[in-house]
Amino acid sequence: MILFLKASDQQIVDFYKDVRDALSGKEYRIMYPQSDDISSNIDIIRKERSDDKGNEMWFPLMMGYFDNSPYAKTIKA
């Protein structure tokens, strides 16, 4: 959603501070998935998220989400 808010760096940092404060006193974990081959991982995800005829469903939606976000439109200009 940050792409649609066009948040500044400081607003993003403040958002995560607010999240930290909201979770204070609660048990939580932050996980960071790491991959040596992101391209292959995305290819697998694209295949897994296709309909029974092999038509990609997820990737075009994600690309539309990114391409149409106010942030993307700003950096394209």
Side-chain angles (χ1 to χ4, degrees):
M1 294 306 299
I2 290 172
L3 296 175
F4 279 84
L5 295 175
K6 287 177 53 175
S8 68
D9 290 346
Q10 187 58 53
Q11 289 171 313
I12 293 168
V13 169
D14 291 343
F15 167 79
Y16 284 111
K17 286 179 180 178
D18 290 343
V19 170
R20 179 195 61 201
D21 292 345
L23 294 174
S24 178
K26 297 179 176 74
E27 187 175 324
Y28 65 92
R29 295 181 195 180
I30 297 174
M31 303 179 95
Y32 179 80
Q34 189 171 347
S35 172
D36 294 327
D37 190 357
I38 294 171
S39 180
S40 291
N41 294 136
I42 290 176
D43 287 342
I44 291 167
I45 292 167
R46 290 171 75 164
K47 186 180 280 187
E48 288 176 345
R49 289 168 175 85
S50 297
D51 67 12
D52 57 351
K53 294 183 176 111
N55 299 313
E56 289 185 7
M57 308 298 287
W58 170 80
F59 194 73
L61 289 172
M62 288 304 300
M63 290 304 298
Y65 172 81
F66 289 120
D67 290 344
N68 294 309
S69 72
Y71 176 78
K73 291 177 181 177
T74 299
I75 62 171
K76 286 180 187 177

